[in-house]
Amino acid sequence: MSEYIMEVNDLKTHFHTKQGIVKAVDGVNLRIKPGEILAVVGESGCGKSVTSQSIMRIVGQKKSEQLSGEVFYHGEDLLQKTEAEMRKIRGKHISMVFQDPMTSLNPAYNVGTQIAEMPQIHENKPKKAAWQRAVEMLKKVGIPSPDKRASQYPHQYSGGMRQRGVIAMSLSCDPDLIIADEPTTALDVTIQAQVLDLLRRLRDETGTAIMLVTHDLGVVAELCDRVAVMYAGKIVEEGTSEDIFDRPKHPYTQGLLHSVPRPGHAERLQPIEGQPPSLHDLPEGCRFADRCPFVMEQCRNEQPDLLTTETPGHTVACWLEKEGVEDDNRRTRPRQQPEETF
Ligand SMILES: Nc1ncnc2c1ncn2[C@@H]1O[C@H](COP(=O)(O)OP(=O)(O)OP(=O)(O)O)[C@@H](O)[C@H]1O
Ligand SMILES: [Mg+2]
């Protein structure tokens, strides 16, 4: 049996549009161990949400949405499952938390009823026992007076409480994997930190693995065991939090780290210049080449594969790694500082 609960191999999601084929996900590989928190990070539009939705088979149903590759969950390929089989997996074994809690909550029903529905459907729990479970889950996610709150409607909850409610719903059937797509992006900073703390506590208590999708590298350092960095439909670097934050290899990862405020790093923030390539007109070589401060000729002609670095488990798709460029100046050269000073 594999040590992973999920193994995504060469996942591709291509959308056929009037403008051409949009390669939103284009050969993604991911691995998640039981109880692990994996962050998938990258700029807006790089394919993070489409990756999550493809794993859950929320996309890929229409003729214009072409899905390929493998998504092994406990050794079974989800891409080969029928829709009826997927319905049994979603919510029960793998659940999803979206950015906007109102995607998951129906304004017409009280929150308790909506959470209770999950164990009723998936575990045939009688109504009363399912309601008890809902109250218990609300308590677990830190909602005060859960008995009373369960009978209230989503509009009676604050934004942060609604997201806690959705997390309670996602936990109600004791899944072994939660895919949380920007679960805190719509919340203000203090509440964001509380919800992230909650996710970590729940993982510690329940042992559920979490795939946390975010464009904000700043939020993941403390929370995640592993980080996968995504760029233009591909994973360009993957490793433990320490690998990614202390010894990033890919110039894109280095650029991301320079562009977000981080505790203990006082240097001036430097956004990565330029834009990612269009997903329906991708370059032949490395997709980051146009923005890369270390670009070489080879980078423009050939796409680099993910290679293991000197640290086992830390992989990077960059020709600098392949070429074994040992010129430390090159690797650690500070990114050019802008000339003007304030
Ligand atoms: N149904 C669709 N048809 C065509 N293109 C699509 C479709 N869904 C998504 N895309 C495109 O796929 C790309 C990846 O989108 P995705 O939503 O996965 O990005 P993301 O990394 O989640 O970004 P964000 O951080 O903004 O949420 C985008 O360019 C988007 O426009
Ligand atoms: Mg998204």
Side-chain angles (χ1 to χ4, degrees):
M1 215 40 196
S2 163
E3 61 178 312
Y4 301 102
I5 55 167
M6 178 163 286
E7 276 189 74
V8 176
N9 298 322
D10 200 24
L11 180 68
K12 292 185 181 164
T13 311
H14 293 177
F15 297 109
H16 294 256
T17 70
K18 281 185 187 145
Q19 288 74 38
I21 300 175
V22 177
K23 296 181 176 175
V25 177
D26 201 28
V28 160
N29 298 299
L30 292 170
R31 312 248 173 291
I32 308 177
K33 286 185 188 167
E36 186 171 70
I37 305 185
L38 171 78
V40 178
V41 298
E43 279 165 299
S44 185
C46 69
K48 305 180 298 292
S49 294
V50 175
T51 300
S52 325
Q53 291 160 6
S54 304
I55 291 172
M56 293 298 266
R57 299 267 308 278
I58 301 170
V59 297
Q61 308 294 38
K62 296 187 198 146
K63 244 182 148 182
S64 60
E65 303 170 348
Q66 190 190 334
L67 207 60
S68 66
E70 295 166 336
V71 177
F72 285 111
Y73 170 70
H74 288 297
E76 289 186 40
D77 187 358
L78 297 186
L79 298 195
Q80 302 304 324
K81 300 262 175 214
T82 62
E83 177 52 27
E85 288 169 328
M86 277 313 291
R87 248 180 266 134
K88 288 188 186 148
I89 290 172
R90 288 188 207 114
K92 164 85 183 123
H93 299 284
I94 310 176
S95 52
M96 222 174 146
V97 176
F98 296 95
Q99 173 175 349
D100 176 5
M102 291 315 283
T103 310
S104 312
L105 291 171
N106 186 332
Y109 296 94
N110 67 45
V111 175
T113 302
Q114 299 185 58
I115 300 174
E117 219 175 33
M118 304 302 284
Q120 278 176 278
I121 295 172
H122 289 296
E123 295 172 3
N124 285 325
K125 262 207 186 294
K127 216 169 164 185
K128 207 168 160 198
W131 179 266
Q132 274 317 314
R133 170 80 68 88
V135 172
E136 199 186 302
M137 289 298 133
L138 286 174
K139 187 171 177 207
K140 205 178 187 98
V141 299
I143 302 264
S145 320
D147 264 322
K148 207 175 99 207
R149 286 290 187 176
S151 310
Q152 292 185 337
Y153 290 79
H155 74 267
Q156 293 171 291
Y157 280 47
S158 68
M161 275 172 62
R162 268 182 226 148
Q163 197 58 302
R164 283 174 192 266
V166 171
I167 293 170
M169 193 189 288
S170 78
L171 282 170
S172 58
C173 291
D174 201 15
D176 53 17
L177 175 63
I178 296 177
I179 300 180
D181 188 354
E182 310 269 7
T184 63
T185 307
L187 307 172
D188 70 46
V189 178
T190 322
I191 310 293
Q192 205 176 71
Q194 289 173 4
V195 171
L196 292 171
D197 270 356
L198 169 67
L199 285 175
R200 185 167 41 188
R201 179 169 64 75
L202 293 172
R203 186 281 301 265
D204 293 346
E205 285 173 13
T206 64
T208 182
I210 301 176
M211 175 173 141
L212 177 73
V213 172
T214 175
H215 66 274
D216 186 352
L217 201 50
V219 308
V220 307
E222 301 294 312
L223 181 69
C224 297
D225 304 305
R226 299 186 66 78
V227 181
V229 181
M230 197 165 173
Y231 187 76
K234 282 190 165 305
I235 303 295
V236 294
E237 184 161 5
E238 215 234 295
T240 61
S241 274
E242 291 77 27
D243 291 335
I244 299 298
F245 287 95
D246 300 344
R247 35 183 184 274
K249 292 277 189 182
H250 200 287
Y252 177 61
T253 312
Q254 295 169 358
L256 275 183
L257 287 168
H258 282 110
S259 64
V260 294
R262 289 192 296 143
H265 293 255
E267 73 266 27
R268 230 177 51 215
L269 298 183
Q270 254 185 290
I272 307 172
E273 280 177 26
Q275 298 292 326
S278 155
L279 293 176
H280 53 248
D281 186 17
L282 287 161
E284 213 169 289
C286 171
R287 294 172 183 186
F288 189 60
D290 274 349
R291 303 171 80 185
C292 183
F294 312 121
V295 64
M296 305 179 291
E297 200 187 327
Q298 186 180 19
C299 309
R300 304 223 178 254
N301 303 326
E302 251 181 292
Q303 252 187 64
D305 288 329
L306 271 176
L307 295 166
T308 303
T309 66
E310 67 272 9
T311 315
H314 182 188
T315 53
V316 61
C318 179
W319 286 120
L320 290 174
E321 193 62 27
K322 174 88 175 172
E323 298 303 305
V325 176
E326 291 302 337
D327 174 0
D328 277 349
N329 280 333
R330 179 160 201 169
R331 274 247 180 267
T332 53
R333 186 173 77 195
R335 289 165 60 80
Q336 261 179 348
Q337 293 294 327
E339 275 171 18
E340 79 278 21
T341 46
F342 294 93

